[in-house]
Amino acid sequence: MYKNELLIYRQYGFMPQKSTTYTAMEAKKFIEPELENRKLVIMASLHVKGAFNAEWWPSILKGLKDSECPRNVYYLSQEYFSQRTAVMCTNSVSIESIVTKGCPQGSSCGPGFWNLPYSSLLKLDFTSHSKVIAFANDLTILTKGESIVEAENYTNLELRKISDWA
């Protein structure tokens, strides 16, 4: 994924050699010239609640297939997502449930599985008035405008694209 540059550069979470500092610097690069020219910037911040728990397996597998990952990796991932169960044991009670979505938090493959479908969000056709930056399961939309109304309109346009994607 990294070698073939299949992940979007605007994703800073779960990526080698990137941190929250890079995210802040990207935002600063977008905002600073606008403020110097007395223009407006709206910052909207979104958080994907329960991201790892809600990760939809068909979307991950489609991302792997679309990225033309090696067949053995695809089949291994497909197997990873089949016949999964979660077991909770307390005292003398044991409850088992079939799992059909999500990635185990703390797993070594979880971040890659998260970034793959999330990259499709970052590939949306955002206007030149906006910059979208992701860090893990948080998304920041920066939108500039000559007036509050213009900036709000562009922000709402971008948020609609994100809502449709979701």
Side-chain angles (χ1 to χ4, degrees):
M1 303 297 301
Y2 299 118
K3 186 174 88 178
N4 295 331
E5 298 178 1
L6 296 171
L7 299 174
I8 302 301
Y9 71 91
R10 291 185 309 252
Q11 169 60 283
Y12 291 88
F14 311 127
M15 299 289 278
Q17 310 304 313
K18 292 191 176 182
S19 69
T20 53
T21 304
Y22 289 95
T23 307
M25 294 307 292
E26 279 298 310
K28 182 182 180 218
K29 276 197 287 188
F30 182 84
I31 294 169
E32 206 167 46
E34 301 308 315
L35 295 182
E36 287 172 359
N37 291 320
R38 298 234 178 256
K39 294 182 182 175
L40 296 161
V41 176
I42 293 176
M43 179 186 282
S45 180
L46 305 175
H47 172 76
V48 180
K49 185 178 178 183
F52 278 86
N53 296 332
E55 188 73 52
W56 194 46
W57 296 346
S59 179
I60 295 170
L61 293 171
K62 181 183 182 320
L64 287 169
K65 195 171 267 189
D66 291 348
S67 68
E68 299 177 3
C69 78
R71 247 187 329 210
N72 62 329
V73 173
Y74 178 81
Y75 291 137
L76 181 64
S77 301
Q78 194 175 35
E79 185 66 27
Y80 178 79
F81 293 127
S82 68
Q83 300 177 355
R84 294 195 68 109
T85 59
V87 180
M88 184 176 87
C89 300
T90 59
N91 298 332
S92 62
V93 178
S94 179
I95 300 171
E96 185 172 336
S97 179
I98 295 172
V99 179
T100 60
K101 62 182 179 177
C103 291
Q105 292 193 26
S107 68
S108 58
C109 57
F113 285 147
W114 167 255
N115 277 346
L116 194 58
Y118 205 53
S119 288
S120 67
L121 166 64
L122 300 173
K123 289 178 184 175
L124 293 178
D125 187 25
F126 295 105
T127 69
S128 61
H129 288 261
S130 298
K131 181 166 192 79
V132 177
I133 304 168
F135 189 88
N137 58 334
D138 294 310
L139 188 72
T140 301
I141 304 105
L142 303 164
T143 310
K144 61 186 175 181
E146 299 282 337
S147 67
I148 292 173
V149 172
E150 181 184 43
E152 284 177 345
N153 286 339
Y154 280 115
T155 300
N156 288 329
L157 177 68
E158 307 302 25
L159 289 171
R160 252 190 312 282
K161 291 174 189 175
I162 293 166
S163 178
D164 290 345
W165 172 87

